[in-house]
Amino acid sequence: MNSDSTAPDPTTSEPAPSKGAGQDEEANYLLAARREKLAALEEKGMAPFAYHFERTHPSSRAAELFQEAEAQESLNEKGHGDTVRVAGRIVSWRSHGKSAFAHIEDGYGRIQLYFRLNVLGEEDFSALDLLDLGDWIGVEGPLFRTRTGEITVQATSWTMLSKSLRPLPFGKEETDPDSGERVVHSGFSDTQSRYRQRYADLAVHPEVREVFRLRSRIVRSLRDFLDARDYLEVETPILQPIYGGAAAEPFVTHHNALDTRLYLRIADELYLKRLIVGGFERVYEVGKDFRNEGIDRSHNPEFTMLEFYQAFADYEEMMDLVEEMLVTVAENAVGSRRIQYQRTEIDLSPPFQRVSFVEALNRGLGRDLHQMTDPELAVTLKELRGDDPRIDEMGRGRLLDKLFGALVEESLVAPTFVVDYPVVLSPLAKLHRDDPRVTERFELFVAGRELANAFSELNDPLDQRERFLSQMQLREAGEDETHPVDDDYIRAMEYGMPPTGGVGIGVDRLVMLLADQPSIRDVILFPTLRPEEGRQG
RNA sequence: GAGCCGGUAGCUCAGCUGGUAGAGCAACGGACUUUUAAUCCGUAGGUCCUGGGUUCGAUCCCCAGCCGGCUCACCA
């Protein structure tokens, strides 16, 4: 190439280099080529980073416009329709010497562009050499159909909107003529890079963008559903002096001015119920919870939880509400109550199956758990999970919970309410009105995963204190994930809390289900990852 | 935390029983005025994850480490 002194030196002007950016130095020849084009654009007086572009039509709208013109037979003698101004990122380029085809992509789809020397003139046409995949351009020209039938903008002029200085990892794609499916060749598939550089993942994968559009529709639909039922959306603290509402390990932080320890919330529950005490009959919150635990395909350290509480309702009523909510959201967001999750058909039509925790577990065990001693349960669990010494430390509640996880959960593919959980597992739920050994609680399972958790909320402050204390005893006996005592919460309840039904729904998991995504990381834009090497904290 | 698999060009991947590397796409130069995985000719591009070891010689074998994926454990 040339050694133009105005060309920026890529080794010194590369932004924010870090130790972890070593690969960029290796790729310098690719970055350098784009820097040179950038300099060449400037030399021609073409601003590589524009301020504005007057777009007349999004890509999809432009295509519709042409089809309308065809239907009205209003094309001119050249077969041209209206002139449009479209803008987008160049995602493919086919140069033919004195003509060139490209596709640009905008927020609404793709449209093909056609450039010809004799239309653009020598100067504008030759400047096309300075374009790269990834550049943003604006184009003006009439719509027409190519010989192969694709609606295309014939560029009479084009404008640089933003020069891409770093190649996006575009794959080549084709449409299989038989199946009509899009086949991507050698795309961008390294999982870690895709999550770490989600911007690049989104830029080259329209289907990934679609997942997050769907996520947005789902969340909006959840809100609409509750708003329509006179629920009040509220915001409660994420930084809390005492964490609670679930059995989980919290993140711990410190507030300097108050010189006090704070926890990131693990659930919204206790604050929302304080609001029920305060006199709001129906409240909900959708927000992030944080749990300092492992990461796998269904767990991210921060995740989105929807919790809603309704005065005067019990868990039966909340079950009906959850059924209606799921079917409504599915129909609003994906257009059907029958969905496919990882090749399994799932019908979300109410009513869902209902089975009691004990009944389901007995079925899994093949015997009656009430006839089994703790050591017998422990032996059974060891047979399933291997001889883990921690099993000997577990109390009965924990054992039952683990056995349920091992024997039952996976089989709950069709939507199923598991109801009436053992008291030890449910310190915030009311005792069952007919059976004091269990609580009025349900969990909803779909596709073998827990999606919702709900109870007739415990509103007896004396009972609540007892439950907290027995959790404390469990902790002293060695169980780590027990619920801490929250005196302020009890104080609130002492003022008087109406009977209340409450539900928590894991929003990420709901999105996984409806978007047919196998990993929670595929429905979180920026999932938690180990920090990149070389970054300063 | 454990097991399995992996880390080779910007991206996606080959690389045999050890002889210091290849393809496609992307890039660069050239041809081509309705293509669409455009095509054709040519060029350049590599700390084979890191550090030790074995060997005349290591991308390959051994050890340790780092990072990732999957499965399991934990948790929603």
Side-chain angles (χ1 to χ4, degrees), chain A residues 211 214 334 339-344 510-519 522-523:
Chain A
V211 168
L214 176 57
V334 300
I339 58 167
Q340 268 225 347
Y341 186 70
Q342 306 292 294
R343 298 186 181 169
T344 302
L510 177 60
V511 177
M512 285 169 69
L513 181 73
L514 296 179
D516 193 16
Q517 295 298 309
S519 168
D522 296 321
V523 301

Side-chain angles (χ1 to χ4, degrees), chain A residues 483-500:
Chain A
H483 205 291
V485 183
D486 188 334
D487 288 316
D488 176 73
Y489 177 62
I490 292 169
R491 177 169 62 189
M493 205 179 281
E494 283 168 348
Y495 283 115
M497 174 173 153
T500 300

Side-chain angles (χ1 to χ4, degrees), chain A residues 12 65-66 174 214 220 247 307 332 339 343 407 411 517:
Chain A
T12 56
L65 188 70
F66 185 76
E174 63 177 327
L214 176 57
R220 183 168 349 106
E307 291 193 30
N332 286 348
I339 58 167
R343 298 186 181 169
L407 290 167
S411 68
Q517 295 298 309

Side-chain angles (χ1 to χ4, degrees), chain A residues 123-187:
Chain A
E123 182 155 347
D124 277 0
F125 189 82
S126 67
L128 294 173
D129 289 341
L130 301 176
L131 293 178
D132 286 296
L133 293 187
D135 288 354
W136 292 84
I137 60 171
V139 165
E140 177 171 331
L143 291 157
F144 74 110
R145 238 182 236 283
T146 62
R147 201 178 278 164
T148 49
E150 181 162 351
I151 297 171
T152 302
V153 177
Q154 161 131 21
T156 51
S157 70
W158 65 273
T159 317
M160 193 76 209
L161 299 182
S162 183
K163 183 72 196 154
S164 164
L165 295 177
R166 183 180 291 272
L168 278 166
F170 285 109
K172 287 267 177 169
E173 45 185 81
E174 63 177 327
T175 308
D176 185 5
D178 300 326
S179 66
E181 280 175 34
R182 207 168 120 257
V183 186
V184 177
H185 303 267
S186 56

Side-chain angles (χ1 to χ4, degrees), chain A residues 297-527:
Chain A
R297 57 163 50 191
S298 58
H299 297 84
N300 194 63
E302 60 177 297
F303 61 102
T304 302
M305 182 73 109
L306 167 67
E307 291 193 30
F308 51 100
Y309 292 83
Q310 178 170 326
F312 315 125
D314 62 11
Y315 77 142
E316 292 281 352
E317 192 170 347
M318 298 314 272
M319 263 186 270
D320 297 341
L321 192 63
V322 167
E323 282 177 345
E324 200 183 339
M325 177 183 250
L326 281 195
V327 74
T328 303
V329 168
E331 285 179 344
N332 286 348
V334 300
S336 172
R337 56 177 61 192
R338 305 167 73 95
I339 58 167
Q340 268 225 347
Y341 186 70
Q342 306 292 294
R343 298 186 181 169
T344 302
E345 294 280 349
I346 293 172
D347 189 346
L348 296 173
S349 303
F352 301 162
Q353 301 170 33
R354 299 185 187 193
V355 60
S356 84
F357 180 88
V358 171
E359 193 185 324
L361 188 47
N362 282 348
R363 225 180 281 161
L365 285 166
R367 41 191 300 206
D368 182 1
L369 66 89
H370 291 308
Q371 310 296 318
M372 293 176 73
T373 63
D374 290 6
E376 283 175 316
L377 292 171
V379 167
T380 309
L381 184 57
K382 283 180 184 176
E383 284 166 3
L384 292 162
R385 290 291 194 223
D387 191 1
D388 187 331
R390 285 175 303 183
I391 290 174
D392 298 315
E393 310 288 308
M394 291 180 185
R396 188 172 183 89
R398 192 89 166 155
L399 285 168
L400 294 178
D401 193 33
K402 296 293 153 206
L403 284 166
F404 187 86
L407 290 167
V408 183
E409 280 188 18
E410 213 171 78
S411 68
L412 302 175
V413 176
T416 306
F417 288 119
V418 176
V419 302
D420 303 344
Y421 279 67
V423 179
V424 267
L425 294 176
S426 317
L428 302 166
K430 280 180 89 71
L431 294 183
H432 196 282
R433 58 197 83 179
D434 301 322
D435 181 357
R437 292 174 302 182
V438 296
T439 55
E440 294 199 355
R441 172 182 180 184
F442 72 80
E443 291 196 344
L444 172 63
F445 289 85
V446 184
R449 259 198 297 268
E450 183 188 336
L451 204 60
N453 180 25
F455 350 112
S456 297
E457 302 293 340
L458 181 51
N459 61 340
D460 173 348
L462 303 175
D463 190 359
Q464 185 65 75
R465 184 178 297 281
E466 291 301 314
R467 302 281 195 93
F468 277 157
L469 292 176
S470 63
Q471 288 284 310
M472 210 163 76
Q473 282 161 8
L474 281 177
R475 173 164 286 254
E476 280 158 9
E479 297 236 352
D480 33 2
E481 276 158 359
T482 55
H483 205 291
V485 183
D486 188 334
D487 288 316
D488 176 73
Y489 177 62
I490 292 169
R491 177 169 62 189
M493 205 179 281
E494 283 168 348
Y495 283 115
M497 174 173 153
T500 300
V503 178
I505 290 181
V507 173
D508 312 277
R509 289 183 175 183
L510 177 60
V511 177
M512 285 169 69
L513 181 73
L514 296 179
D516 193 16
Q517 295 298 309
S519 168
I520 199 168
R521 289 177 159 191
D522 296 321
V523 301
I524 294 176
L525 281 166
F526 298 98

